[in-house]
Amino acid sequence: MSSSAEGGTGIRVRTERGVRTIHFGRPERRNAMDGVMFAAYYAALADADADPEVRAIVVTGDGDWFCSGADASTLNLLAAGDSADVVEALGFPPHHPMTLRKPLIAALNGGAAGLGLAQALFADVRFMADGARLSTAFSKLGLIGEYGTAWLLPRLIGVANAMDLLLSARKVDAAEARELGVVQFVRPKEEVLAAAQDYARELAQNCSPRSMAVIKRQVWRGVDTDGPEAVAESVRLMVESLSATDFQTAVQTLGQRTPVEFPPLPPEGEP
C-alpha cells in the first residue's frame, strides 16, 4: 500500500492492491474545483493510467461532498479565455477521463453538481451514498451543459430524462439516480468508498487489463457508430484478442481455482 498527497493541489492519492484511489481533498470548500485542483486531478488520472501497478482507478471526495462544481476562480478563468486556454491551463483536453484505458469508478460519498457531476459522469461505473443528491445546476446559473454533460447524459439515461435534469437543474436523490441509471449502485455513506474499492479490486485481480481497455474503446466508439460497423469492428478485435497474451494466459489456467495472472498494460500506446 502506498499513499501520497499533492501539496496544495487539493488532490490526494493512495494505491492498494492494484487500485489507485484519488481523493478530492478540499472538504472545507465542498471539494469545489479551482484551476490547480482541476489540473492536478487530470494529472493524477494520467499518472494512474500510465502506472503498470495500477489496474483500476477510484475517485471520491473527502467530507460531505463529492464535488460541488467549479469554484469562482475557475469560472473566472473560463470567462476570460477560450477553449484553447482551458486545454493549456489543464494540460489535458477537457474529455481526458474518457481517454483512460483503465476502468474509472466514481464513489460519490456526497453531493455532486455542475463540474463535479460531469466528472462523475466521465467514470465508467458510479457508486452513490444513499443520502447524497445530484444536480446539473447549469440552467439556474445561466450556464449551458458544460464539459460534455449534454452529450453524456442522453447516452446514459435517454434524451427525455437528460432534458429533464439539464433544463430543470433539480436535485436528484440516490434512489432516483439509481432508477434513472445515472448511478449503478447505492450504498450507505460509510460504505460507499469501500464498496467502490472492492468493485475496482475485483476488476484489478480478475479481469484482463487489455480486455478492459479494448472494451472501453469499443463502448465509447460504439456510441456514435452504426450496428453493422460496430459488429465488424468487434470481429476484428476478437481475432486480435485470440492471439494476444491475455487470452493464452487465461486458456492455460482453465479449470484451476487460482486467479489468472494477466500482464499489465504497456505504459504507452494502444493496448
Side-chain angles (χ1 to χ4, degrees), residues 223-241:
V223 165
D224 290 316
T225 302
D226 64 32
E229 184 179 346
V231 172
E233 183 188 36
S234 73
V235 171
R236 178 182 63 79
L237 293 171
M238 178 182 66
V239 171
E240 290 180 4
S241 68

Side-chain angles (χ1 to χ4, degrees), residues 83-190:
S83 58
D85 294 325
V86 174
V87 174
E88 182 177 356
L90 291 177
F92 300 90
H95 69 282
H96 174 56
M98 295 172 60
T99 71
L100 303 179
R101 295 180 298 161
K102 298 174 183 178
L104 175 61
I105 316 302
L108 281 75
N109 55 296
L115 177 58
L117 177 59
Q119 296 306 329
L121 296 177
F122 279 137
D124 302 307
V125 178
R126 285 162 290 281
F127 287 71
M128 185 173 175
D130 58 6
R133 294 195 294 178
L134 310 175
S135 174
T136 58
F138 305 123
S139 67
K140 291 186 176 179
L141 296 172
L143 299 172
I144 53 83
E146 294 178 349
Y147 291 97
T149 51
W151 186 91
L152 285 162
L153 272 173
R155 287 159 174 80
L156 293 172
I157 63 174
V159 171
N161 287 327
M163 282 291 193
D164 167 32
L165 299 191
L166 287 164
L167 294 175
S168 71
R170 65 184 181 84
K171 294 179 180 178
V172 175
D173 65 19
E176 185 180 5
R178 173 68 181 86
E179 181 180 355
L180 289 171
V182 179
V183 302
Q184 288 65 58
F185 303 97
V186 175
R187 297 288 186 272
K189 176 179 171 59
E190 63 273 13

